[in-house]
Amino acid sequence: NNPKDGAFNKMVRIMTTRCMNQAVYFCTNELDIPEFQHYGLATPIYTHFTSPIRRYSDVLVHRLLAASLDIEPLNDKVFDIQNLSKQCNRMNSRNRMAQYAGRASSSFHTFKLIKQLERECDAIVLMVNSRGIGVVVAELGVESFIEIDGGKEVLDSDGVIEELVYVDKKSGKDVGLKVFDHVFVRLEASMVHWRTKVETRFVRKNEDF
């Protein structure tokens, strides 16, 4: 934890959650009990329960809860495992489609913002390999890979790339880039064949961190 670098803390949380399996809807008759657990919440059994006006999955949960409390009986179709499994698969598919739509919307509005504000931004290195670095501009949520010409990788004792060294054009000195280093990048937005495109260009390492 680094209290002076809020972006660093945010990136650590992002990298941690990316390792987690995404929660999905499933019919309990199809899986063994140990597989019921929710990985992200570290709970052995879990279902979400919110307003039924939001998602059909919530409608199903409300119906099951009402039946368990003897408030209202279940429809016979609920006892059809194949039918319930089909509903779960459809809900998972729709949930993914909603996520894709949300990402596309965010991407488009980020493109419009960058088009107006083309400038240098601070970014954090999330990944290093022999070709370049993967970075995230935390303030805009833009993630991209930047190729570094002439970069030389430095390996750790396990043979894993821990640093990419490049020659700074102004000073002529070797500069090393590691995961979680801060760098300055320039964001540029353009339209190519009616598709939005955001390019991230490496400027220099941010030595203030």
Side-chain angles (χ1 to χ4, degrees):
N1 185 52
N2 185 349
K4 296 182 179 180
D5 189 357
F8 168 82
N9 299 330
K10 184 177 182 180
M11 292 305 104
V12 171
R13 289 195 296 271
I14 289 176
M15 295 180 72
T16 302
T17 54
R18 280 186 176 178
C19 299
M20 300 179 182
N21 295 323
Q22 184 175 359
V24 295
Y25 303 109
F26 64 93
C27 181
T28 55
N29 292 60
E30 296 182 319
L31 298 177
D32 295 328
I33 292 179
E35 296 184 71
F36 289 7
Q37 62 182 342
H38 191 291
Y39 184 86
L41 298 177
T43 56
I45 188 169
Y46 165 86
T47 187
H48 64 74
F49 175 65
T50 57
S51 169
I53 65 172
R54 293 187 59 211
R55 295 170 291 205
Y56 183 66
S57 55
D58 297 308
V59 174
L60 289 182
V61 172
H62 276 253
R63 288 174 179 171
L64 292 170
L65 180 61
S68 66
L69 297 174
D70 293 325
I71 296 175
E72 187 176 348
L74 291 171
N75 188 290
D76 291 340
K77 290 184 178 181
V78 177
F79 298 100
D80 184 335
I81 296 176
Q82 289 186 338
N83 179 64
L84 197 59
S85 177
K86 190 180 296 184
Q87 287 182 327
C88 288
N89 291 335
R90 183 173 178 79
M91 287 187 296
N92 290 327
S93 176
R94 292 295 183 181
N95 185 43
R96 285 193 297 273
M97 293 302 104
Q99 289 179 340
Y100 295 154
R103 291 171 187 170
S105 176
S106 296
S107 177
F108 177 70
H109 285 87
T110 300
F111 164 81
K112 292 177 64 178
L113 178 62
I114 294 173
K115 190 72 174 175
Q116 298 173 348
L117 303 175
E118 289 189 356
R119 59 182 173 85
E120 290 185 8
C121 301
D122 176 72
I124 297 180
V125 178
L126 284 190
M127 180 267 289
V128 175
N129 67 24
S130 59
R131 296 190 302 113
I133 56 176
V135 302
V136 170
V137 180
E139 64 176 306
L140 298 174
V142 175
E143 182 174 357
S144 63
F145 181 81
I146 306 174
E147 292 189 359
I148 305 292
D149 293 332
K152 298 179 181 179
E153 64 266 26
V154 177
L155 308 181
D156 62 14
S157 57
D158 295 320
V160 178
I161 299 175
E162 68 171 356
E163 185 177 20
L164 185 68
V165 178
Y166 73 98
V167 178
D168 183 73
K169 293 181 179 179
K170 288 187 176 181
S171 65
K173 297 180 179 179
D174 287 345
V175 179
L177 297 173
K178 295 182 178 181
V179 172
F180 296 134
D181 278 349
H182 285 252
V183 296
F184 285 114
V185 299
R186 181 171 180 80
L187 299 176
E188 299 175 354
S190 60
M191 187 80 74
V192 180
H193 301 302
W194 300 102
R195 291 180 179 271
T196 59
K197 183 179 181 181
V198 174
E199 289 188 293
T200 309
R201 303 186 186 280
F202 178 74
V203 179
R204 65 187 183 282
K205 184 175 181 179
N206 187 346
E207 301 291 354
D208 293 334
F209 290 88

